[in-house]
Amino acid sequence: MGYGVLMSSGEFDSSSFMIHGIFKYSFFGHEVWITNTHVSILIIMILLIVFSLVGGKCLKKATMKPGKFQNVIELLVEFLDGIVDKAMGKGAPKYYNYIGTLFVFILVSNISGLLGLRPPTADYGVTLPLGILTFILVHYAEVRFNKPLDLWKDKCSPLPPWLPIWLPINIISDIAVPISLSLRLFANVLSGTIMMALVYGLLKWVAVAWPAALHVYFDLFSGAIQTYVFCMLTMTYISSARGDGN
Amino acid sequence: MDFNENFVLGCSAIGAGLAVIAGIGPGVGQGIAAGHGAAAVGRNPGARSEIMSTMLLGQAVAETTGLYGLLVAMLLLFVKPLVG
């Protein structure tokens, strides 16, 4: 840091928790960096792809009385489908795949701090696309399942439809959804990452065994809660856009 | 008027500290949510899991404003946008 902002002895460098480039290449004349976010996201992707290939192969020759691995996979899939069923009612089966993938990806990303990787979700470039995907799904469902007139009435909602003064405010609140959704996930994971880096970087040998407790809170608990919240909010927005209740 | 870099950095640190005061609001809000959640579980222990998930969802949404404050503080400390 150089300025002693963090009471460090000067050896502490903030690059231990910042995003930093590993190598750069030129892509059609643009300078493109491969950062440590890319590296950890690739590792997680390979892990998940291998797991799902093995799981798929296992379920191809599934037996009536499940073995150990088949049992684990069935438990996982039933859990994910159960969450979607509970939140979305009868429109649920179409969204099993998306929400399940989202859940597994965000969960593994959040707890990857335990494996020594920098969590990919602590990069706004990862969480913003997830928020935008939610935004697209919500508005696709809204246009698909509502008549245009009802949509217009809904967008002018507190005032009658011939007086669209409230329209811009409703549009702004629609745009705020993906931004707040992605910032919530990003800031939670980032704050955990930075706090762990500060504990390890500033306290040196004082931080021996007890950071494990902090890891349990910041990585496991907070990561799982934020995963659940992201998926739950996505499902709530989609099902309210579909108008399943009425 | 131009100030030297250390002065701006010090003022950024003060600003970061002030920005984190935003954490008071979500703290109070989450506490109220948790208290009502506990009361609800006491009244109806059968609905424990439903109450838990609703409470956690509400708390996570309420947390957002505090996180915005945290984000501003992080930007001031580590990205240093005001230091020219």
Side-chain angles (χ1 to χ4, degrees):
Chain A
M1 306 252 24
Y3 292 104
V5 171
L6 293 162
M7 267 171 59
S8 68
S9 54
E11 292 170 48
F12 177 74
D13 62 335
S14 60
S15 68
S16 61
F17 57 85
M18 290 292 191
I19 304 162
H20 50 84
I22 292 175
F23 72 91
K24 71 174 178 186
Y25 62 98
S26 119
F27 181 76
F28 292 120
H30 290 278
E31 197 178 85
V32 184
W33 280 92
I34 295 290
T35 62
N36 51 355
T37 302
H38 291 101
V39 172
S40 45
I41 216 169
L42 279 175
I43 293 173
I44 288 167
M45 271 168 61
I46 290 170
L47 213 76
L48 288 180
I49 288 171
V50 168
F51 178 76
S52 44
L53 283 180
V54 172
K57 203 168 227 175
C58 176
L59 285 191
K60 278 264 167 56
K61 45 180 198 279
T63 45
M64 193 60 202
K65 198 174 135 209
K68 273 180 203 151
F69 190 59
Q70 190 188 339
N71 217 343
V72 170
I73 293 172
E74 281 179 4
L75 209 67
L76 186 70
V77 172
E78 271 169 19
F79 168 72
L80 292 173
D81 288 359
I83 289 180
V84 185
D85 269 334
K86 218 168 72 178
M88 298 189 74
K90 68 179 195 301
K94 276 187 180 169
Y95 294 94
Y96 282 161
N97 291 335
Y98 177 63
I99 303 290
T101 313
L102 196 67
F103 195 96
V104 173
F105 173 69
I106 298 178
L107 185 67
V108 176
S109 298
N110 285 353
I111 64 178
S112 68
L114 289 176
L115 308 176
L117 301 173
R118 189 183 187 280
T121 35
D123 184 340
Y124 196 52
V126 175
T127 56
L128 183 64
L130 295 177
I132 290 175
L133 274 176
T134 297
F135 180 78
I136 292 171
L137 276 177
V138 167
H139 288 280
Y140 176 73
E142 208 170 31
V143 172
R144 172 105 192 270
F145 289 94
N146 289 295
K147 292 192 206 82
L149 198 67
D150 289 344
L151 216 59
W152 175 256
K153 239 181 236 169
D154 188 50
K155 290 291 173 225
C156 308
S157 82
L159 294 173
W162 47 266
L163 192 65
I165 299 173
W166 217 254
L167 183 67
I169 296 176
N170 278 330
I171 289 176
I172 288 173
S173 75
D174 277 351
I175 292 173
V177 164
I179 296 173
S180 76
L181 206 59
S182 55
L183 271 182
R184 181 179 305 125
L185 180 61
F186 164 68
N188 261 295
V189 181
L190 180 75
S191 66
T193 310
I194 289 183
M195 226 121 29
M196 290 318 298
L198 291 185
V199 166
Y200 282 126
L202 297 184
L203 299 181
K204 303 263 159 49
W205 56 269
V206 183
V208 178
W210 58 268
L214 290 180
H215 268 301
V216 169
Y217 178 74
F218 286 125
D219 288 333
L220 290 179
F221 180 71
S222 187
I225 293 281
Q226 288 310 315
T227 309
Y228 181 70
V229 164
F230 193 97
C231 294
M232 212 60 192
L233 284 177
T234 300
M235 288 186 285
T236 314
Y237 285 132
I238 291 174
S239 62
S240 78
R242 286 167 65 99
D244 279 347
N246 28 40
Chain B
M1 251 199 307
D2 46 310
F3 299 105
N4 78 18
E5 198 169 307
N6 290 339
F7 180 76
V8 176
L9 201 64
C11 287
S12 301
I14 294 174
L18 290 177
V20 177
I21 294 178
I24 292 177
V28 173
Q30 289 184 337
I32 290 174
H36 284 291
V41 173
R43 210 173 299 130
N44 183 7
R48 192 167 182 282
S49 65
E50 292 270 314
I51 292 168
M52 276 289 271
S53 68
T54 313
M55 185 189 81
L56 285 176
L57 198 66
Q59 285 182 328
V61 173
E63 202 178 11
T64 315
T65 50
L67 288 172
Y68 289 157
L70 178 83
L71 217 61
V72 170
M74 294 288 180
L75 288 178
L76 283 174
L77 277 184
F78 295 118
V79 185
K80 298 174 199 152
L82 302 180
V83 179

